[in-house]
Amino acid sequence: MDSLKLQQMLESTGEKPFRAKQIKAAVYDRLISDWDEATDLSYGLRENLKVNVPLSTVEPVTEVTSKRGDAIKVSLRLADANEIETVLMRHRDGRNTVCVSSQAGCAMKCAFCATGKAGFRRNLTADEIIDQILHFARKLRQKKADVTNVVFMGMGEPMHNFDAVMDAIRTINSKNGLEIGARRISVSTCGIVPGISRLADESLQINLAISLHAPNDALRSRLMPANDAYPIGQVMRAVESYTTATNRRVMFEYTLIDGINDKNEHADALADLLGDNHLYHVNLIRFHRTGGFSSSPRDRRDTFLERLKTRGISATHRVSFGEDIRAACGQLAGQTKRR
């Protein structure tokens, strides 16, 4: 739902201010899929909404489900014909996590990520971000389930769309919005230092994840061009300031790529980099093929994890979802194959 169009319509038709609250309750709480379902609104208002305020700013194009049934990827068309991808991950413990995109495309050009190869097209609005979640929230409600978690780990760099991302998060978290707890919302960044600093000043208790993927500047710059602008030292100083200000745990994402960043020396360098900060946690991610790299063998991934743990680093293997439908980490490209 386009919030600006809603405000303009309500003002132009002279509707009472409380109507906006009623409309938002219908959309975010009751999860209506058609304006006619908002029966607490007058017929005339519902007709005006149909004409002037589409219920969603995104339109489903295709949807594919993984063989295990634990991941669903949807391609969504925006009003300007750009397409983005969003993923629902269904965990064994009952959690339902929506991985949202914050941009159409991405300018970061990480060597191992399909999204960056398509280039950057534009930032998403807060409404376009929220509507990705609503798409799956409506589907889950039919199965008597709810979206429990949201991660900004889809297409785009959230810190390059900071204001819209924060506006979306406030609605996601608000009692008048989707009412998803702040600690169930995570934002991942390539290490955009100004964004990390701004996030430290926010009052929301959301989770911060840093896409690290290498323990030194030479290797990280090879994999992630953003490192040229924000080297590891700057990123780590910003993260340390963030943890000091918020006392919140920070997750470091580390994709293990065969022969590139998965050797014992890399594990040791990563342990040296993180030190003994109890608020740091490493998520080791299995590489999902997107180009000229290969995934580290399982035994090497296990050795890397154990080497970190031996050094006192909190670390786990992150569960992968939807690799067979190109819905896993680094695979989103806004080009869902029609099925």
Side-chain angles (χ1 to χ4, degrees):
M1 179 179 68
D2 190 313
S3 300
L4 179 58
K5 285 184 178 179
L6 174 62
Q7 180 183 346
Q8 291 172 339
M9 191 219 74
L10 292 177
E11 290 176 353
S12 66
T13 55
E15 292 286 347
K16 301 291 184 184
F18 71 86
R19 291 298 184 197
K21 187 174 182 179
Q22 281 184 301
I23 291 168
K24 290 178 181 179
V27 174
Y28 300 133
D29 184 27
R30 301 204 301 279
L31 298 175
I32 62 170
S33 55
D34 188 287
W35 285 121
D36 282 332
E37 296 174 26
T39 53
D40 54 337
L41 304 178
S42 69
Y43 173 80
L45 178 52
R46 294 200 304 271
E47 290 301 302
N48 269 335
L49 287 167
K50 289 180 190 177
V51 173
N52 298 296
V53 188
L55 189 57
S56 180
T57 60
V58 300
E59 177 188 359
V61 179
T62 57
E63 190 171 281
V64 289
T65 301
S66 65
K67 291 180 180 179
R68 295 187 304 190
D70 58 355
I72 302 172
K73 180 173 73 168
V74 62
S75 177
L76 299 168
R77 183 178 292 125
L78 309 176
D80 61 1
N82 273 304
E83 288 189 21
I84 58 172
E85 291 179 347
T86 307
V87 181
L88 171 67
M89 297 172 285
R90 307 204 68 180
H91 304 261
R92 292 180 179 178
D93 61 7
R95 287 176 295 133
N96 293 304
T97 298
V98 177
C99 178
V100 299
S101 295
S102 57
Q103 296 178 316
C106 183
M108 296 295 94
K109 298 182 180 179
C110 296
F112 50 84
C113 182
T115 309
K117 292 176 182 173
F120 172 75
R121 298 188 291 280
R122 71 169 174 86
N123 284 329
L124 301 187
T125 67
D127 294 317
E128 289 168 336
I129 294 169
I130 295 163
D131 282 341
Q132 295 174 61
I133 304 166
L134 285 170
H135 172 82
F136 282 118
R138 294 183 184 110
K139 286 181 171 293
L140 287 170
R141 182 62 60 87
Q142 295 173 5
K143 300 179 180 180
K144 302 186 185 305
D146 298 298
V147 173
T148 60
N149 298 70
V150 175
V151 294
F152 284 78
M153 297 180 180
M155 298 170 65
E157 167 52 62
M159 296 303 186
H160 279 170
N161 192 17
F162 190 92
D163 292 334
V165 166
M166 288 300 114
D167 286 347
I169 287 174
R170 291 186 186 95
T171 297
I172 295 166
N173 178 240
S174 170
K175 290 184 178 180
N176 295 319
L178 290 169
E179 204 170 357
I180 296 173
R183 297 190 179 194
R184 293 177 178 268
I185 302 169
S186 300
V187 176
S188 178
T189 175
C190 288
I192 308 303
V193 169
I196 297 170
S197 300
R198 289 184 67 185
L199 190 62
D201 294 331
E202 294 287 332
S203 58
L204 292 165
Q205 293 288 298
I206 60 176
N207 304 304
L208 173 64
I210 304 295
S211 291
L212 190 61
H213 308 300
N216 61 67
D217 284 324
L219 179 55
R220 193 166 189 263
S221 288
R222 174 185 167 191
L223 296 174
M224 304 175 69
N227 191 74
D228 292 339
Y230 303 109
I232 290 178
Q234 287 187 30
V235 173
M236 294 306 297
R237 285 191 292 274
V239 170
E240 185 176 355
S241 296
Y242 172 87
T243 57
T244 299
T246 65
N247 199 36
R248 298 286 295 146
R249 198 180 200 193
V250 174
M251 297 172 288
F252 291 88
E253 310 291 319
Y254 195 101
T255 298
L256 289 165
I257 305 172
D258 186 25
I260 302 295
N261 64 353
D262 61 348
K263 300 175 183 177
N264 288 345
E265 63 196 67
H266 297 127
D268 292 340
L270 180 58
D272 290 339
L273 178 67
L274 300 183
D276 59 359
N277 193 317
H278 70 284
L279 293 174
Y280 293 169
H281 177 81
V282 176
N283 277 326
L284 295 178
I285 303 170
R286 182 166 62 86
F287 174 72
H288 307 99
R289 183 175 293 277
T290 56
F293 298 111
S294 299
S295 176
S296 298
R298 181 57 195 247
D299 61 343
R300 199 176 306 156
R301 301 200 309 269
D302 289 342
T303 297
F304 199 99
L305 175 64
E306 290 307 313
R307 203 167 184 93
L308 289 179
K309 287 185 174 181
T310 299
R311 291 286 303 275
I313 303 297
S314 173
T316 53
H317 285 305
R318 197 172 81 183
V319 177
S320 293
F321 288 85
E323 183 175 9
D324 60 318
I325 58 171
R326 299 190 64 78
C329 182
Q331 292 188 310
L332 301 187
Q335 300 171 342
T336 303
K337 183 179 179 180
R338 275 57 174 161
R339 296 187 181 181

